[in-house]
Amino acid sequence: MNAPALNEQRVTDADPVASAQQQVMAAGQFAAARGWVPATSGNFSARVDADRIVVTRSGADKGALTPADLAVVNLREPLPPGLSAEAPLHVARYLADASIGAIFHVHSPAAALASRRNARHGVLTLEGWELQKAFAGVTSHLAVLNVPVFANSQDTVALAAEVEARLQNQADLAPGYLLAGHGLYAWGRTGRETLRHLEAFDVLLQLQLEWERNPL
Ligand SMILES: [Zn+2]
């Protein structure tokens, strides 16, 4: 992770679009290497400035992204054709929270399974795991963190509205949410922080699955 971070810093000063592209391409490689974005699934974005993001186009292999696979999108204008069908979920998050610098979405097996198991509750609660401290601002394993779970939908514009309405009122929110049987959305202030959150979520969801299957 050290080399990409250095590259990220170098291009940040020169070109914010190139920096955002670099963060998305690095995240795609990271996720693909771990089997979280099988068969061109998943989508990734990073903020360029207050009004713009870089987001993956539809169908790209996330492990081999190039700048041609990424679109620069204005958050306050209609989305251009050819983007991931889930781009509205990214746009809604950036508009709702100006501190978000990157959003990464994966179809990891742990996320697909844990979300489906907890769909009827509408939330998956994390508590008692030391790794929860990998999330920004969390300082104790005793913190209770809620990960909202939404029913999956192909109408991502309506889903984005449902997600944002719920997140505004969700206490003790972890930096992510689940779509049942589908996957995980995670965010952070930077690409590096969002990757850390993704990795922590993956382990925590695996722990949670094992815990639910075989509690003490
Ligand atoms: Zn998806």
Side-chain angles (χ1 to χ4, degrees), residues 98-148:
S99 74
I100 292 177
I103 301 173
F104 302 149
H105 165 58
V106 295
H107 289 198
S108 62
L113 185 56
S115 58
R116 206 167 173 192
R117 274 193 186 274
N118 288 276
R120 67 184 183 281
H121 305 304
V123 66
L124 186 155
T125 301
L126 298 169
E127 183 180 12
W129 306 111
E130 177 69 11
L131 191 59
Q132 292 171 205
K133 289 162 57 183
F135 295 137
V138 177
T139 57
S140 170
H141 66 285
L142 296 175
V144 174
L145 295 176
N146 291 310
V147 187

Side-chain angles (χ1 to χ4, degrees), residues 55-59 68-74 77-88 91:
V55 62
T56 44
R57 298 184 193 279
S58 177
D69 297 315
L70 309 175
V72 180
V73 166
N74 190 308
E77 294 176 358
L79 292 175
L83 301 182
S84 160
E86 296 178 52
V91 170

Side-chain angles (χ1 to χ4, degrees), residues 41-43 86 105-107 179 182-183 185:
S41 63
N43 33 77
E86 296 178 52
H105 165 58
V106 295
H107 289 198
L179 301 179
H182 176 162
Y185 274 82

Side-chain angles (χ1 to χ4, degrees), residues 13-38:
D13 300 334
D15 181 348
V17 171
S19 171
Q21 290 172 331
Q22 185 80 28
Q23 291 175 57
V24 168
M25 292 186 291
Q29 284 185 4
F30 186 94
R34 287 157 181 77
W36 296 345
V37 285

Side-chain angles (χ1 to χ4, degrees), residues 52-63:
R52 295 179 299 163
I53 60 170
V54 162
V55 62
T56 44
R57 298 184 193 279
S58 177
D61 177 353
K62 305 309 180 297

